Amino acid sequence: MENNEYQTISYGKYENSSQETDKKTETTASSIEEQFFDLPFRERMKIHKNRMKLKIKTKSQDLKAKAKIKSEQLRVKSQEISNKIREKIEEHKAQEKHRQQNTVSPIQKKLETPHLKPLKFCSECGVEVTPSGKFCPGCGAIH
């Protein structure tokens, strides 16, 4: 019987040693999340709070970077549009100036157009008389 007792004892020792190694590998193999839930509630809340702060900070930095890029894109687009508007205004001014130079007002036309024949009017009735005519065609007065 001594052999049987020895065998059971060694078997028990074997079980104990295997259970201990299983526990060691369990703790080594357990993930960080499992360790997280083993912590007291306050510690978990502190860790959770820090994670949230980090997440918010990262998100905030991402949004700021995106906003800066968008702002720069809008500034460039605005500059392009304002340059196009300035070009159109300058073009319109040049066309208007050219048009004013080419068009002559009716007063300027009268002043600039030379008369082919001198005008002559009757002193009695005011009808236009030809320059070579001696009598008025309207009243017959002598000129």
Side-chain angles (χ1 to χ4, degrees), residues 5 9-11 29 31-32 43 45 47 68 89 99 106 110-111 113 119 124 133:
E5 286 178 20
I9 291 172
S10 67
Y11 183 74
S31 68
I32 295 173
E43 291 297 318
M45 288 300 107
I47 292 171
K68 191 173 183 178
I89 290 172
R99 194 176 307 128
K110 285 184 180 178
L111 294 175
T113 51
L119 295 176
E124 299 293 322

Side-chain angles (χ1 to χ4, degrees), residues 118 120-122 127-137 140-143:
K120 196 173 179 188
F121 297 97
C122 176
V127 177
E128 187 176 351
V129 181
T130 59
S132 60
K134 293 186 179 184
F135 297 101
C136 175
I142 302 172
H143 290 274

Side-chain angles (χ1 to χ4, degrees), residues 61-79:
Q61 289 172 346
D62 288 346
L63 290 173
K64 284 179 183 178
K66 286 179 183 178
K68 191 173 183 178
I69 291 169
K70 202 65 153 171
S71 172
E72 185 64 24
Q73 288 173 344
L74 289 174
R75 188 190 65 75
V76 168
K77 191 77 166 178
S78 173
Q79 189 69 32

Side-chain angles (χ1 to χ4, degrees), residues 58-139:
T58 306
K59 194 95 164 172
S60 173
Q61 289 172 346
D62 288 346
L63 290 173
K64 284 179 183 178
K66 286 179 183 178
K68 191 173 183 178
I69 291 169
K70 202 65 153 171
S71 172
E72 185 64 24
Q73 288 173 344
L74 289 174
R75 188 190 65 75
V76 168
K77 191 77 166 178
S78 173
Q79 189 69 32
E80 289 174 1
I81 291 172
S82 63
N83 286 342
K84 286 180 182 179
I85 290 172
R86 278 192 205 106
E87 288 174 5
K88 290 286 184 181
I89 290 172
E90 292 299 320
E91 184 180 316
H92 180 71
K93 283 181 181 179
Q95 287 176 353
E96 189 65 32
K97 190 174 183 180
H98 182 68
R99 194 176 307 128
Q100 285 177 355
Q101 288 175 351
N102 288 343
T103 53
V104 181
S105 68
I107 297 170
Q108 286 177 336
K109 281 184 181 178
K110 285 184 180 178
L111 294 175
E112 291 176 359
T113 51
H115 297 289
L116 299 175
K117 55 182 182 173
L119 295 176
K120 196 173 179 188
F121 297 97
C122 176
S123 57
E124 299 293 322
C125 65
V127 177
E128 187 176 351
V129 181
T130 59
S132 60
K134 293 186 179 184
F135 297 101
C136 175
C139 64

